[in-house]
Amino acid sequence: MACSPHNAVRTLQQCTCNNSAVIPDIQQATRARTAILTSFYVDDFLTSCESVTEAVELAENVDAILSAGQCTLRKWHSNDSQVMMRLSNEPSLSSYIFYSGEASILGLRLDALKDQLLFRVDICQRVEIPTKRCVLSEVARLFDPTGLLSPVIVNGKIFIQRLWSAGLSWDSPLPEDLCRDWLNYRSQLPELNQIRVEWWMGTIPRVQTSFHGFCDSSSHAYAAVIYAKTSNTNGSVRFTFLTARTKVAPLKTATIPRLDLRQCSFLHRHSRT
């Protein structure tokens, strides 16, 4: 049903509000309640802690609150082996599954041992001449919610626009020039499996964090990207890629300044989300 996503989130929130009192310590109950309300993404609970003890306490409290409403968590994962060891030894969590190594999070892959995000692109060998339907299907399989693969995916979107401009039907074989360009693009996609991105942004309560957005446009597409800058008290500075979004330029000819105005609005909209 269309309302199912809302109902799922609303149920989780109500469960948290109703059962946070099962934690005797008010401060720990408040922290667990806030974590549940702000750190759930679909059915994944993703958060960070500064110490092993804090992580174990939070896991136990979150589990207790949700279990009281029959919203039982099933699997735990951490980039710290001490957290995994202590959680596996907790009597209240003894029946849970504990993962080490690579896991799936929101369609991405996480190497917990190295604390890095990575991609798995599986391109099967095709012997038939590609069609527009085939191209759209394979470009759509490049799932990238964070925008880390934007420079690659936007080229796939531009190619799809070329197919529409050529007036091809869904199952007609691509002309020789378009077929050559597509096969060249497709042959390089497995190289995305070599990309690894640090998951941690370097944000802790004692550092100053600021966000910096950039945008640019061309006659083919326009894009926006946001970085996080963390400045520590010892003078060290760290920049982390947060997210990026791309959009193909319209077929109707537009000047670069007009596209610049569009992508400024584009950046503002995604910086708010």
Side-chain angles (χ1 to χ4, degrees):
M1 298 175 63
C3 62
S4 295
H6 166 79
N7 290 340
V9 173
R10 185 68 181 86
T11 300
L12 184 71
Q13 293 176 346
Q14 191 63 48
C15 172
T16 303
C17 295
N18 291 348
N19 301 302
S20 59
V22 300
I23 309 299
D25 187 294
I26 297 178
Q27 186 174 4
Q28 289 189 20
T30 301
R31 187 173 188 278
R33 180 178 181 273
T34 302
I36 295 173
L37 294 178
T38 60
S39 300
F40 257 95
Y41 304 87
V42 192
D43 57 351
D44 289 329
F45 174 65
L46 308 175
T47 191
S48 299
C49 299
E50 290 195 60
S51 67
V52 172
T53 301
E54 183 181 336
V56 174
E57 288 180 349
L58 181 61
E60 291 178 332
N61 294 335
V62 167
D63 176 72
I65 291 174
L66 295 181
S67 295
Q70 304 304 312
C71 296
T72 307
L73 298 177
R74 296 296 182 186
K75 306 170 185 178
W76 290 96
H77 199 43
S78 175
N79 65 330
D80 193 311
S81 59
Q82 295 185 49
V83 173
M84 298 297 289
M85 181 180 65
R86 289 185 54 177
L87 286 178
S88 62
N89 292 330
E90 291 293 330
S92 61
L93 303 177
S94 59
S95 61
Y96 288 62
I97 300 174
F98 298 89
Y99 278 105
S100 59
E102 190 175 307
S104 176
I105 296 180
L106 300 177
L108 300 178
R109 304 299 299 179
L110 170 66
D111 185 343
L113 300 179
K114 297 181 179 180
D115 209 17
Q116 295 175 333
L117 291 174
L118 57 140
F119 297 87
R120 285 287 178 263
V121 179
D122 297 321
I123 300 296
C124 60
Q125 296 295 326
R126 290 184 177 272
V127 294
E128 70 272 15
I129 299 177
T131 63
K132 185 169 72 171
R133 188 186 303 275
C134 169
V135 171
L136 263 66
S137 174
E138 295 199 337
V139 172
R141 289 174 58 190
L142 298 174
F143 184 67
D144 179 34
T146 59
L148 294 171
L149 304 182
S150 291
V152 176
I153 294 180
V154 71
N155 280 288
K157 294 178 179 178
I158 292 172
F159 186 81
I160 292 174
Q161 188 183 64
R162 291 176 60 191
L163 298 184
W164 284 101
S165 300
L168 300 175
S169 63
W170 284 104
D171 297 308
S172 297
L174 300 187
E176 182 179 353
D177 57 335
L178 291 176
C179 182
R180 182 176 58 253
D181 292 346
W182 167 248
L183 293 178
N184 179 54
Y185 172 83
R186 188 177 184 274
S187 66
Q188 300 178 64
L189 293 180
E191 296 183 17
L192 297 177
N193 294 330
Q194 302 177 24
I195 296 177
R196 288 179 171 262
V197 180
E198 297 295 327
W199 190 20
W200 187 53
M201 294 165 40
T203 54
I204 55 177
R206 293 175 298 277
V207 305
Q208 181 181 5
T209 303
S210 57
F211 299 97
H212 302 263
F214 301 90
C215 48
D216 201 2
S217 62
S218 73
S219 58
H220 298 292
Y222 50 99
V225 60
I226 299 176
Y227 292 88
K229 174 187 176 182
T230 54
S231 304
N232 210 331
T233 53
N234 60 10
S236 62
V237 177
R238 172 179 177 149
F239 286 92
T240 306
F241 175 93
L242 281 186
T243 186
R245 293 293 182 270
T246 60
K247 195 168 184 179
V248 178
L251 289 174
K252 184 178 179 180
T253 305
T255 63
I256 297 298
R258 183 176 293 276
L259 290 175
D260 285 337
L261 291 175
R262 289 188 180 183
Q263 47 95 8
C264 286
S265 174
F266 192 53
L267 174 63
H268 176 66
R269 182 169 64 255
H270 286 287
S271 64
R272 289 183 298 170
T273 56

